[in-house]
Amino acid sequence: MSAARGGAVRTLRVPGRHGYAAEFSPYLPGRLACATAQHYGIAGCGTLLILDQNESGLRLFRSFDWNDGLFDVTWSENNEHILVTCSGDGSLQLWDTTRATGPLQVYKEHSQEVYSVDWSQTRCEQLVVSGSWDQTIKLWDPTVGKSLCTFRGHESVIYSTIWSPHIPGCFASASGDQTLRIWDVKTTGVRTVVPAHQAEILSCDWCKYNENLLVTGAVDCSLRGWDLRNVRQPVFELLGHTYAIRRVKFSPFHASVLASCSYDFTVRFWNFSKPDPLLETVEHHTEFTCGLDLSLQSPTQVADCAWDETIKIYDPICLTMPA
């Protein structure tokens, strides 16, 4: 076990706000967005926090309040100041960090909590995908006031919606119906249905180096890798978490490295190509750890947030040592 001893842990305490998602800016080194909620997201309002790093730690650059808990956040891929969040009232919000107040726009179509939002990395398109507890996924162009289309098929709440970094117009979703699904916006239909776990799937992510490889994290405490060319069996399974896996992220720098955070309060780092895949377990939270991201600028830097009212940026030992 470790407490991220690879370097100084930068911590910001946010009293009364429980962290749900943390995302590094794709443009500005050291800038981090964090989606939070009051009262563990059960009641109360939410706050979007924009943080910057300096020598002494983390500094709050901007905060925006919303009248319901914020569950996820995604940065624009074509404007360094723009973000989208999603919330418990079924809406998405568009924010501009150059403005002291907001939001610029609110998109309210989902009928229940929106738990996931992701901005497409394809440069020629400006598309956002959202996943909701109303069992639907919606596609948005932020310049248009209403959704472009709605995807139906999941039979339970949707926890995660993530664009492919390789294939334009393709995204994945994970659901309480125990499936991972791959969708194509051109056909507005499902391409692949993977019965990935015998438990609710709370998170999924695409490998940055292999367009056919995804990972799922579930309530059964396992992470499973899936090759879309043959989904009958997982290509890897990673065991070690002792409670539900809340979020999983592939490394932007290492093809076989990924990170996961869990309701067991830990963040774990893995290399699925190794016989002993668990690289490191970081234990520096005292509540459910919900938000996790790996920096696009620094090969060693990680951010996470938890229900213990803290946001942390650190360099785990396993990422600072040569592979």
Side-chain angles (χ1 to χ4, degrees):
M1 302 294 182
S2 81
R5 293 186 301 271
V9 179
R10 293 169 175 169
T11 302
L12 183 72
R13 183 167 291 280
V14 283
R17 294 293 183 272
H18 301 111
Y20 267 88
E23 293 288 324
F24 281 107
S25 165
Y27 291 99
L28 301 174
R31 177 157 288 187
L32 184 75
C34 186
T36 71
Q38 276 186 309
H39 309 301
Y40 308 97
I42 299 167
C45 69
T47 303
L48 170 63
L49 304 166
I50 310 298
L51 312 178
D52 286 326
Q53 297 178 64
N54 54 32
E55 290 70 26
S56 58
L58 287 177
R59 177 182 71 90
L60 181 62
F61 170 74
R62 190 85 78 201
S63 68
F64 300 102
D65 289 329
W66 184 245
N67 55 20
D68 210 317
L70 297 178
F71 295 142
D72 201 10
V73 59
T74 185
W75 289 92
S76 165
E77 292 287 342
N78 49 28
N79 184 325
E80 66 189 45
H81 305 295
I82 300 296
L83 310 91
V84 173
T85 53
C86 59
S87 74
D89 62 5
S91 71
L92 283 67
Q93 306 79 32
L94 184 76
W95 309 92
D96 184 341
T97 61
T98 64
R99 303 188 180 207
T101 59
L104 297 180
Q105 181 104 24
V106 178
Y107 312 91
K108 176 72 171 76
E109 288 187 26
H110 286 293
S111 60
Q112 290 180 251
E113 291 93 331
V114 187
Y115 232 55
S116 178
V117 65
D118 194 37
W119 197 299
S120 171
Q121 296 173 35
T122 303
R123 295 288 179 219
C124 61
E125 62 191 19
Q126 182 170 270
L127 295 175
V128 172
V129 67
S130 61
S132 171
W133 287 19
D134 66 10
Q135 304 183 17
T136 71
I137 300 162
K138 288 184 180 286
L139 182 71
W140 310 84
D141 179 335
T143 62
V144 178
K146 63 181 190 298
S147 65
L148 303 178
C149 61
T150 301
F151 298 83
R152 293 180 172 86
H154 277 298
E155 297 169 9
S156 184
V157 301
I158 296 162
Y159 291 110
S160 182
T161 47
I162 306 288
W163 289 103
S164 166
H166 309 280
I167 309 163
C170 177
F171 65 89
S173 60
S175 168
D177 68 10
Q178 308 181 0
T179 67
L180 168 73
R181 297 182 187 227
I182 312 300
W183 309 79
D184 186 342
V185 300
K186 292 183 287 294
T187 62
T188 66
V190 66
R191 277 178 41 185
T192 308
V193 179
V194 185
H197 297 259
Q198 290 185 306
E200 289 194 294
I201 308 170
L202 304 186
S203 185
C204 63
D205 196 28
W206 295 82
C207 179
K208 312 300 187 285
Y209 294 86
N210 180 344
E211 69 177 29
N212 293 302
L213 183 62
L214 292 98
V215 64
T216 51
V219 172
D220 62 10
C221 309
S222 75
L223 294 155
R224 290 179 179 173
W226 301 96
D227 186 324
L228 294 180
R229 293 165 296 188
N230 182 357
V231 296
R232 285 195 297 272
Q233 296 289 334
V235 290
F236 64 79
E237 183 175 49
L238 305 173
L239 303 174
H241 280 295
T242 55
Y243 283 93
I245 294 165
R246 180 61 180 82
R247 204 175 292 268
V248 58
K249 293 280 182 81
F250 271 107
S251 166
F253 292 96
H254 307 281
S256 58
V257 170
L258 54 89
S260 56
C261 66
S262 166
Y263 292 161
D264 65 13
F265 307 173
T266 72
V267 179
R268 296 177 192 239
F269 296 87
W270 315 81
N271 185 332
F272 64 80
S273 69
K274 295 194 171 184
D276 187 6
L278 181 61
L279 302 176
E280 186 174 349
T281 301
V282 173
E283 293 186 299
H284 58 196
H285 285 292
T286 57
E287 256 294 355
F288 288 178
T289 308
C290 295
L292 176 66
D293 200 21
L294 286 75
S295 170
L296 294 167
Q297 275 96 8
S298 165
T300 63
Q301 197 166 78
V302 177
D304 61 39
C305 63
W307 284 9
D308 60 11
E309 306 178 351
T310 66
I311 304 161
K312 296 177 186 286
I313 294 182
Y314 55 101
D315 298 88
I317 297 165
C318 65
L319 298 186
T320 61
M321 301 187 317

